């Protein structure tokens, strides 16, 4: 018999080292996970603000997609974005009005702030454009104010400069 197949050889030390290595690996992974969760820029206290920071940002993006309901604040009034755009140039058949956030994800996360009474607020630039098939005609940028007071629905409104 060779040394490797001998019945006299005991694997107790090797087995013990293997278990120590497994326990240390699991402990290290747990520590790394805990540190990563705490330093996650999108981590938030859902209970204190009514909704998580991630969910709030996604709700703001969804509100921007519905340009039929999106409004622009001007002199204390809320004017539908589509109405405001059509005052200067009516939309042709097949034209689609779009509003898109123009900030980088890291900028959006930094711009998302807590409201004192609980909730979130986000102010970021939005580009307004008309899409006609493969052509895109940019109309300009407006700042968007998105707010989620705790216990209420998220609301988004564009602001005219100087308002």
């Amino acid at each position: 018999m060779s040394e490797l197949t001998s019945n006299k050889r005991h694997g107790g030390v090797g087995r013990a080292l293997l278990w120590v290595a497994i326990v240390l690996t699991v402990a290290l992974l747990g520590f790394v996970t805990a540190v990563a969760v705490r330093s996650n820029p999108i981590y938030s206290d859902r209970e204190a603000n009514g909704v998580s920071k991630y969910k709030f940002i996604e709700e703001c993006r969804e509100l921007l997609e519905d340009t039929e309901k999106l409004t622009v604040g001007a002199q204390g009034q809320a004017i539908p974005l589509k109405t405001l755009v059509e005052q200067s140039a009516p939309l042709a058949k097949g034209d689609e009005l779009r509003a898109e956030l123009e900030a980088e994800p890291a900028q959006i996360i930094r711009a998302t702030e807590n409201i004192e009474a609980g909730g979130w607020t986000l102010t970021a630039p939005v580009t307004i454009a008309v899409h006609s098939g493969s052509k895109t005609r940019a109309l300009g940028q407006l700042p968007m104010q998105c707010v989620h007071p705790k216990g209420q629905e998220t609301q988004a409104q564009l602001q005219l400069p100087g308002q």
Side-chain angles (χ1 to χ4, degrees), residues 71-136:
T71 61
V72 178
Q75 299 174 353
Q77 298 179 352
I79 303 168
L81 175 63
K82 190 171 184 177
T83 302
L84 192 62
V85 168
E86 288 184 330
Q87 285 179 351
S88 60
L91 296 175
K93 187 175 182 180
D95 285 356
E96 183 182 351
L97 185 61
R98 290 190 192 165
E100 298 174 0
L101 275 174
E102 285 302 318
E104 294 292 321
Q107 293 170 321
I108 293 170
I109 291 168
R110 281 192 303 269
T112 303
E113 299 175 350
N114 290 323
I115 297 174
E116 266 188 51
W120 298 104
T121 182
L122 167 64
T123 302
V126 172
T127 297
I128 311 300
V130 176
H131 293 264
S132 306
S134 63
K135 294 181 181 180
T136 301

Side-chain angles (χ1 to χ4, degrees), residues 133-152:
S134 63
K135 294 181 181 180
T136 301
R137 180 173 43 114
L139 302 176
Q141 271 193 350
L142 293 174
M144 174 209 51
Q145 178 72 38
C146 192
V147 180
H148 177 89
K150 185 176 179 181
Q152 298 179 23

Side-chain angles (χ1 to χ4, degrees), residues 8 38 44 48 56-57 78 81-82 120 123 142 153 163:
K8 296 177 184 169
R38 284 192 195 129
S44 59
F56 167 69
I57 293 170
L81 175 63
K82 190 171 184 177
W120 298 104
T123 302
L142 293 174
E153 290 187 25
Q163 299 295 317

